[in-house]
């Protein structure tokens, strides 16, 4: 893998581990493209939480050859906001005299993430979903794809939408 690609993955490691659901589409796609081996897929899927699975994938990717980064970007079709952030980072040249660290804007990313969450939640929602403040939005929506808000209390109203045990 190109050192620039390794640096981008390292820089966005925490962000990606909190955003991606790797068992759904990313790991199967990377296995199909022969970026990951069957043993590596089993290793990733054996971990307890989605964050740990994503972190393990991010550990493996830099060791998987020159095609790994581009295949990884292609696997992020369902996570366009994350893919856009990585691509923006690659296209943003460092300013003269800077440390080379850039902070891309997230304009449009939250909107794409919200559309994806609503699409994944489907029509099985009961009640009304309301957006929360940005500080709690990501955590709550990753933990509970559909949340009903009632007088300040939240409860999971879409228990039938939970992921299989292998992908939790």
């Amino acid at each position: 893998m190109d050192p620039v690609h390794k640096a981008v993955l390292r820089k966005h490691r925490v962000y990606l581990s909190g955003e991606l659901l790797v068992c759904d589409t990313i790991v199967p796609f990377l296995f199909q493209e022969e970026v990951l081996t069957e043993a590596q897929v089993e290793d990733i899927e054996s971990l307890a939480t989605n964050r740990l699975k994503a972190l393990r994938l991010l550990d493996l990717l830099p060791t998987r050859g020159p095609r790994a980064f581009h295949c990884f970007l292609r696997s992020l079709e369902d996570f366009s906001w994350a893919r856009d952030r990585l691509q923006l980072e690659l296209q943003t040249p460092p300013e003269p005299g800077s440390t080379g660290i850039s902070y891309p804007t997230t304009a449009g990313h939250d909107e794409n993430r919200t559309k994806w969450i609503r699409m994944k939640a489907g029509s099985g929602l009961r009640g009304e979903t309301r957006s929360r403040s940005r500080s709690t939005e990501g955590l709550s929506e990753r933990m509970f794809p559909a949340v009903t808000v009632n007088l300040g209390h939240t409860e999971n109203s879409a228990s039938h939408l939970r992921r299989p045990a292998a992908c939790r």
Side-chain angles (χ1 to χ4, degrees):
M1 181 179 287
D2 187 296
V4 171
H5 297 156
K6 287 181 183 181
V8 168
L9 289 179
R10 185 173 42 253
K11 179 179 176 182
H12 295 282
R13 179 179 175 81
V14 173
Y15 170 77
L16 291 170
S17 69
E19 293 293 318
L20 304 179
L21 303 174
V22 297
C23 282
D24 292 345
T25 56
I26 298 170
V27 168
F29 180 81
L30 294 173
F31 177 71
Q32 170 190 302
E33 295 298 312
E34 298 180 353
V35 171
L36 296 177
T37 66
E38 189 172 348
Q40 291 167 329
V41 170
E42 290 173 3
D43 178 32
I44 291 167
E45 291 180 349
S46 71
L47 296 172
T49 67
N50 196 60
R51 182 174 291 274
L52 291 175
K53 292 172 188 187
L55 289 170
R56 182 65 181 133
L57 174 63
L58 294 170
D59 288 339
L60 290 170
L61 279 175
T63 68
R64 300 308 300 158
R67 296 178 46 245
F69 185 78
H70 294 291
C71 286
F72 176 63
L73 287 181
R74 287 180 32 220
S75 75
L76 296 178
E77 183 177 318
D78 288 342
F79 302 93
S80 60
W81 64 92
R83 181 187 62 221
D84 293 345
R85 179 178 269 198
L86 296 178
Q87 289 175 329
L88 181 61
E89 177 74 23
L90 290 171
Q91 295 170 359
T92 307
E95 294 179 14
S98 75
T99 60
I101 298 174
S102 62
Y103 299 95
T105 64
T106 58
H109 297 269
D110 292 332
E111 182 180 322
N112 288 340
R113 178 180 10 193
T114 303
K115 287 179 186 175
W116 182 85
I117 290 168
R118 286 184 182 144
M119 177 193 71
K120 284 293 190 182
S123 61
L125 293 176
R126 289 173 287 188
E128 177 182 314
T129 43
R130 296 184 182 161
S131 63
R132 287 163 299 286
S133 70
R134 179 156 168 72
S135 63
T136 60
E137 176 181 289
L139 178 63
S140 297
E141 288 177 351
R142 283 191 302 278
M143 292 173 58
F144 303 104
V147 176
T148 299
V149 178
N150 183 10
L151 301 175
H153 301 286
T154 59
E155 56 185 309
N156 186 358
S157 65
S159 60
H160 63 283
L161 295 175
R162 293 184 191 246
R163 286 184 214 90
C167 291
R168 285 191 203 153

